[in-house]
Amino acid sequence: MTTAPNVVVIDYDAGNLGSVKRAFEECGARVRITGHPEELRQATHLVLPGVGAFNAGMSNLRRSGLEAAIKELAFQKRIPLLGICLGMQLLATKGWEGGETDGLDLIGGEVKLLEAGAGERLPHVGWNEVEYEKSAPLFFNIPSGTDFYFVHSYHFVCRNKSESAATTPYAGRFTSVVQKENICGTQFHPEKSQKPGFQLIKNFLNS
């Protein structure tokens, strides 16, 4: 009998925790929500969700001691980590929402405001395609061009283009999935993206 993954959803006062917990439970994981750094060590998989501004998110992670714990577990001990929406953005080196702010620097890059084109609006809200050129385990059973659900105004600009795992055709084109070894992030909300989102969660749990 296979042991269920032990997922820790990181609570840093950035909201959206309940729906993430339920989605991971429905995908077969045991889930704990916690803001205590020492409890992250119990995880087989870490999830950094979040909605809100980059500077406030990083301030909360630093004040609570979670920044150091996340870096140790994801970078040094190579525990799989999934960032969702703001959580993905916080993986970057630096963000500009609310003023220039250092991020977790787990994936090199900066988080900048989207530049809306003619007929486009910010925030970018709703369903949109996620397209990839190179298949990866995170995309197992998810065809390129599948729609996922977005709510955001900023986007992750990767320093290394190979770490931009998928893109979305809006505001020119922006990176919607980042991945560097055991660390990955989605700009969209898999927990709100129905069957494709749950497939992506299952794929992450299998990593």
Side-chain angles (χ1 to χ4, degrees):
M1 184 175 179
T2 303
T3 303
N6 188 22
V7 172
V8 170
V9 177
I10 301 167
D11 181 3
Y12 60 110
D13 294 326
N16 201 38
L17 301 174
S19 59
V20 172
K21 181 177 186 288
R22 288 190 296 273
F24 275 81
E25 288 174 337
E26 288 192 35
C27 291
R30 296 192 304 261
V31 184
R32 171 183 290 205
I33 297 173
T34 183
H36 299 288
E38 63 274 11
E39 293 183 5
L40 272 59
R41 299 180 184 280
Q42 303 170 18
T44 61
H45 295 72
L46 294 168
V47 179
L48 184 65
V51 293
F54 190 102
N55 64 337
M58 281 306 307
S59 176
N60 291 348
L61 287 178
R62 293 196 168 105
R63 184 175 61 250
S64 61
L66 288 165
E67 177 185 24
I70 292 168
K71 287 183 173 181
E72 178 192 352
L73 294 170
F75 184 67
Q76 297 178 12
K77 299 193 174 180
R78 301 180 63 80
I79 300 296
L81 168 65
L82 173 65
I84 297 173
C85 196
L86 174 62
M88 165 181 154
Q89 295 177 1
L90 297 179
L91 302 177
T93 307
K94 183 181 296 186
W96 296 93
E97 186 178 11
E100 182 178 356
T101 305
D102 289 338
L104 292 170
D105 197 23
L106 292 171
I107 297 181
E110 298 187 17
V111 175
K112 300 180 178 181
L113 184 66
L114 286 167
E115 296 182 9
E120 296 178 333
R121 295 182 179 180
L122 293 183
H124 172 220
V125 178
W127 295 84
N128 213 327
E129 301 99 316
V130 171
E131 302 172 345
Y132 60 87
E133 294 182 3
K134 184 178 180 181
S135 184
L138 196 64
F139 301 131
F140 178 71
N141 276 344
I142 302 173
S144 181
T146 297
D147 283 352
F148 289 85
Y149 187 79
F150 292 84
V151 183
H152 66 117
S153 296
Y154 284 73
H155 68 120
F156 195 128
V157 181
C158 290
R159 183 183 303 146
N160 185 339
K161 290 185 179 180
S162 68
E163 292 166 0
S164 173
T167 60
T168 292
Y170 194 89
R173 179 173 291 271
F174 66 86
T175 292
S176 46
V177 180
V178 295
Q179 182 150 24
K180 181 180 181 181
E181 299 174 346
N182 58 302
I183 300 165
C184 57
T186 63
Q187 184 59 69
F188 53 83
H189 289 272
E191 78 281 3
K192 297 180 180 179
S193 296
Q194 302 176 4
K195 185 176 178 180
F198 278 46
Q199 180 64 53
L200 186 140
I201 290 171
K202 291 174 183 176
N203 294 343
F204 171 68
L205 293 174
N206 287 329
S207 64

